[in-house]
């Protein structure tokens, strides 16, 4: 009897832990496809789960960081959803590839379309919303996006709480994109590599041109020497005959 009670209590405890873990992890998040390297561009997915049993998610709003604005944001079409990209003027223009950018994306909003009773993210489902973003900052380790999730019963969940160092995960955490170290293929490094390649090609072309010119000169000299040799032989033959 005691063994059965202990086993039952253990099962209940384990189930409770699983339920709590599932609840804590079911929030709006952002993950890159591959890497999100500093100073480069990346394709990211905003994953939005439906946490309600009696309502569907019909609107998702993602607000972009203002401390590290992103000038280039391109959404990938998602069937059943309309997308709207909003830009705002910058207090301080950005320098991208030698051009001054005076505005950056402030938010992206996806709104479900279709039949009222069969649209959006239904209970038990999730949806991913892909974006191509850049240029990523070089002086930050992460980007924090604040998301707002709206259900068809008018309920609004704000995923806007930032994680504090050493603290537990907040109840409604904001999506965080971790940035990796810049690779040699990003921007300045690639430009240097391109310049070095161009220099090598120029040097090789010059060497080839020089070699070709030398070969032509030697060929002409050889022909002249050959003609002179023939002429000398003819004159020598005539002298002997005389």
């Amino acid at each position: 009897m005691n063994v059965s009670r202990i086993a039952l209590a253990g099962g209940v405890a384990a189930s409770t832990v699983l339920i709590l873990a599932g609840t804590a992890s079911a929030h709006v998040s952002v993950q890159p496809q591959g890497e999100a390297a500093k100073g480069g561009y990346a394709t990211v997915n905003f994953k939005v789960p439906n946490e309600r049993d009696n309502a569907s998610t019909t609107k998702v709003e993602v607000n972009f960081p203002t401390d590290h604005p992103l000038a280039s944001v391109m959404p990938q079409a998602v069937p059943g959803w309309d997308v709207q990209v909003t830009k705002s003027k910058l207090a301080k223009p950005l320098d991208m590839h030698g051009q001054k950018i005076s505005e950056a994306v402030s938010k992206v909003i996806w709104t479900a379309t279709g039949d009222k009773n069969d649209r959006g993210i239904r209970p038990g489902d999730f949806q991913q919303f892909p974006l191509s973003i850049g240029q990523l900052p070089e002086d930050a380790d992460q980007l924090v996006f604040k998301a707002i999730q709206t259900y068809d019963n008018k309920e609004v969940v704000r995923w806007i709480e930032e994680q504090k160092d050493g603290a537990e995960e907040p109840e409604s955490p904001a999506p965080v994109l971790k940035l990796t170290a810049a690779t040699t293929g990003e921007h300045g490094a690639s430009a240097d590599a391109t310049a070095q390649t161009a220099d090598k090609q120029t040097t090789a072309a010059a060497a080839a041109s020089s070699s070709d010119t030398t070969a032509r000169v030697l060929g002409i000299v050889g022909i002249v020497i050959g003609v002179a040799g023939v002429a000398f032989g003819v004159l020598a033959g005539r002298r002997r005959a005389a």
Side-chain angles (χ1 to χ4, degrees), residues 135-221:
Q135 180 179 347
L136 300 176
E138 298 179 353
D139 57 349
D141 295 324
Q142 64 180 28
L143 292 177
V144 179
F145 300 86
K146 296 184 178 182
I148 301 175
Q149 182 177 10
T150 303
Y151 291 87
D152 58 8
N153 63 358
K154 307 303 181 183
E155 180 185 3
V156 176
V157 180
R158 302 178 184 277
W159 304 97
I160 61 175
E161 298 180 82
E162 297 189 33
Q163 177 72 48
K164 303 298 183 183
D165 293 339
E168 295 183 357
E169 183 181 62
E171 184 177 352
S172 301
V176 177
L177 176 65
K178 300 292 185 181
L179 303 182
T180 59
T183 61
T184 55
E186 299 296 341
H187 303 290
S190 62
D192 292 342
T194 302
Q196 292 177 3
T197 300
D199 290 342
K200 290 180 180 179
Q201 291 176 344
T202 301
T203 302
S209 177
S210 176
S211 177
D212 184 59
T213 301
T214 302
R216 289 180 181 179
V217 172
L218 291 176
I220 293 173
V221 172

Side-chain angles (χ1 to χ4, degrees), residues 46 58-60 62 75 78 81-83 108-112 129-131:
F46 283 91
T58 55
K59 184 179 178 180
V60 176
V62 174
V78 179
W81 295 82
D82 282 338
V83 61
V108 178
I109 300 175
W110 291 270
T111 305
F129 299 93
L131 290 175

Side-chain angles (χ1 to χ4, degrees), residues 8-104:
L8 177 60
V12 171
S15 300
T16 302
V17 170
L18 289 175
I19 292 173
L20 292 176
T23 303
S25 62
H27 53 71
V28 177
S29 60
V30 58
Q31 293 294 332
Q33 294 182 14
E35 289 188 346
K38 297 178 181 180
Y41 291 77
T43 298
V44 300
N45 286 323
F46 283 91
K47 181 180 179 181
V48 182
N50 192 319
E51 296 186 308
R52 301 297 178 261
D53 297 328
N54 57 354
S56 295
T57 297
T58 55
K59 184 179 178 180
V60 176
E61 175 182 323
V62 174
N63 292 276
F64 282 65
T66 56
D67 54 343
H68 295 291
L70 300 176
S72 175
V73 176
M74 293 185 293
Q76 180 177 325
V78 179
W81 295 82
D82 282 338
V83 61
Q84 178 184 356
V85 179
T86 301
K87 292 186 176 183
S88 300
K89 291 290 184 180
L90 295 174
K92 181 180 179 181
L94 296 174
D95 188 1
M96 289 184 61
H97 309 302
Q99 296 183 349
K100 295 294 183 181
I101 306 298
S102 60
E103 61 180 13

